Amino acid sequence: MMRNIFVVLGCCLISLTIQAQSKADQVKHIRLVYAEAKQKVADNGKDGKAPIDMHILVNDGTVVDEDFELDNVTSLYYYFDKMKKDPNTDLLDSVKCYLIIEDYTSHGHTRYREFLFDPDKGHLLFAFMKGETDAGFIVETRFYYDAKGNLIDQIHKTGNEGLGVSEVEPDSHSWNDAEGEKKTGDYFLDVFNGILFPNSDFSAASERSGKATPKAERMKFIRETYAQAKQKIELDKQAGLPRNIQVTIHDQRFEVSPPVTREINYYFEDVMGQDTSEKHCYFVSDHTSFMGFDRYCEYLFDTKSHDLIFSYDRGREEDEEREWRYYFNENRKCIEAKSEAEEIGDGLSEKMAAKDYVDTFRKLICE
């Protein structure tokens, strides 16, 4: 009987030792991957290589009253690798995001986050957070995950500025937890994929039935709305609390080609809904430059919805330049298309692109 008890205890000790070794080995591996990722970030764009990254800057300042303005600024940095799906070509069309960094400030409060992803399989490996209040209270957390998303290990520290931080139990604060950080990492990845690989939903291009404003009156409304949007953008550029989103993407399409630079700007404002104010994106611009190619697009949205009412597309390559303009009524129908190109179209792809921009805007601002 005693012998059986010792055998069982021995097996339990061996099992616990194996688990401890496995946990230590996994954490060690994650730290090694983390160090490699940070080195790749440091080397990004150096030694003649094209930079591969994305930066999203969200300015969401809010005037609470005439004596109090709340500044909310979020910077998201994405670092990713470009790879080839077909080894027989030099086209880089496969993407793996390996590190995301969030830097957030609001009225003296700060939060810094890092999300490390497996460079081969793409799942979350590690999440770090350091938050500090305007009074100097600090919380640091580290979460380590396995390939199935299970928590391997966690480290929590709290303290005060100038006095340092010390390790504490996980339930000693309520700033975050392992599951919440994992969801945040997935959310940031969803934003990243939505920008680089939009859904292109055909439902956004479907026309409605119903009455529509006469064409002349509608065209007048669109032109006036466009002029007002441009005025608001100029005021936003000079504002102490701007309301915009800036996305800058450094990419590369071919192994031997110069980099691609893409800049997307979203402009929004608060509009009153039935009960509360809602954030409304009224204008988006998208500019891509690549070698001798340059493309600039504009998307103007209705004042009361996110229906596209006007789009502008200008493409330049070497000595050739073409422009397209599309005007839409309340039923999403193109009522006028202007272009010197042989193929004018009916604004179908423009409506689909506008829906993708709105989806990204809602993810960044409304979720």
Side-chain angles (χ1 to χ4, degrees):
M1 182 70 177
M2 290 295 293
R3 182 178 181 277
N4 291 338
I5 292 175
F6 282 120
V7 170
V8 171
L9 288 173
C11 291
C12 289
L13 288 171
I14 292 172
S15 176
L16 289 172
T17 301
I18 292 173
Q19 289 179 14
Q21 289 175 342
S22 175
K23 169 184 169 181
D25 289 342
Q26 290 182 79
V27 171
K28 182 180 179 181
H29 169 71
I30 291 172
R31 287 172 176 164
L32 178 62
V33 175
Y34 176 82
E36 293 172 346
K38 295 291 278 189
Q39 187 60 52
K40 286 170 65 176
V41 170
D43 295 339
N44 183 49
K46 294 183 178 179
D47 299 326
K49 295 182 180 180
I52 305 293
D53 55 51
M54 178 191 296
H55 176 219
I56 302 176
L57 176 62
V58 181
N59 292 299
D60 187 15
T62 302
V63 178
V64 179
D65 57 47
E66 61 181 15
D67 297 320
F68 180 57
E69 296 179 341
L70 186 63
D71 59 314
N72 291 306
V73 180
T74 303
S75 276
L76 292 172
Y77 300 89
Y78 294 85
Y79 298 93
F80 56 99
D81 289 321
K82 294 298 292 288
M83 294 158 288
K84 296 182 290 186
K85 287 184 179 179
D86 186 351
N88 298 316
T89 71
D90 63 351
L91 176 63
L92 300 172
D93 57 357
S94 179
V95 171
K96 286 281 180 66
C97 182
Y98 60 86
L99 186 69
I100 300 174
I101 297 175
E102 179 207 37
D103 202 346
Y104 168 81
T105 62
S106 177
H107 197 60
H109 302 280
T110 64
R111 182 180 64 231
Y112 176 85
R113 278 183 172 135
E114 293 181 344
F115 296 90
L116 175 72
F117 299 88
D118 187 280
D120 298 319
K121 298 180 181 179
H123 58 268
L124 181 65
L125 290 175
F126 173 68
F128 169 78
M129 188 277 294
K130 179 179 179 180
E132 183 173 351
T133 68
D134 57 355
F137 179 67
I138 298 171
V139 174
E140 286 185 12
T141 60
R142 292 167 174 83
F143 299 100
Y144 300 83
Y145 305 89
D146 65 16
K148 295 182 179 179
N150 299 314
L151 183 66
I152 301 171
D153 195 11
Q154 57 181 320
I155 300 173
H156 298 253
K157 296 180 180 181
T158 62
N160 291 91
E161 183 182 10
L163 300 177
V165 297
S166 57
E167 192 166 342
V168 296
E169 293 298 319
D171 59 356
S172 64
H173 69 89
S174 58
W175 284 47
N176 63 358
D177 56 36
E179 192 61 30
E181 291 302 278
K182 190 167 61 174
K183 289 180 180 178
T184 300
D186 289 340
Y187 157 69
F188 286 150
L189 265 186
D190 187 43
V191 171
F192 171 79
N193 290 321
I195 293 174
L196 290 186
F197 310 103
N199 292 324
S200 299
D201 186 2
F202 280 98
S203 66
S206 60
E207 297 180 9
R208 302 190 186 97
S209 59
K211 294 182 179 181
T213 305
K215 180 180 176 180
E217 184 178 339
R218 180 66 175 180
M219 294 288 286
K220 182 175 182 292
F221 166 75
I222 292 173
R223 291 188 175 109
E224 289 177 347
T225 304
Y226 181 85
Q228 292 168 4
K230 286 291 190 175
Q231 290 176 356
K232 287 188 287 188
I233 290 171
E234 289 303 312
L235 291 174
D236 186 78
K237 292 178 180 178
Q238 303 169 24
L241 291 174
R243 311 298 299 283
N244 60 55
I245 303 171
Q246 304 166 26
V247 180
T248 304
I249 306 168
H250 296 118
D251 205 341
Q252 191 176 23
R253 295 178 181 174
F254 300 93
E255 284 186 302
V256 296
S257 67
V260 179
T261 300
R262 183 182 178 194
E263 296 177 342
I264 310 171
N265 290 285
Y266 303 75
Y267 299 94
F268 60 95
E269 61 188 348
D270 286 332
V271 296
M272 286 303 301
Q274 292 182 347
D275 300 315
T276 60
S277 65
E278 300 174 354
K279 298 182 187 299
H280 175 255
C281 181
Y282 59 88
F283 193 88
V284 173
S285 66
D286 192 339
H287 183 203
T288 301
S289 56
F290 171 65
M291 295 179 69
F293 175 78
D294 187 280
R295 184 184 181 189
Y296 174 76
C297 303
E298 293 181 344
Y299 301 85
L300 177 69
F301 298 95
D302 187 79
T303 54
K304 297 181 180 179
S305 71
H306 280 125
D307 283 342
L308 181 67
I309 63 174
F310 171 73
S311 72
Y312 170 76
D313 188 334
R314 184 203 66 216
R316 292 174 178 168
E317 190 167 10
E318 295 180 351
D319 297 329
E320 186 177 0
E321 177 175 316
R322 292 184 178 181
E323 295 180 338
W324 292 263
R325 291 175 174 83
Y326 296 96
Y327 302 80
F328 304 90
N329 67 9
E330 298 92 327
N331 298 323
R332 297 178 177 170
K333 181 179 180 180
C334 180
I335 56 175
E336 185 161 330
K338 296 181 178 180
S339 177
E340 296 177 356
E342 295 179 2
E343 296 183 4
I344 297 179
D346 58 0
L348 175 64
S349 61
E350 283 71 19
K351 286 186 285 185
M352 292 169 59
K355 174 63 164 52
D356 292 328
Y357 292 118
V358 170
D359 287 346
T360 296
F361 167 75
R362 284 175 170 155
K363 288 176 185 176
L364 288 168
I365 293 294
C366 304
E367 293 185 4

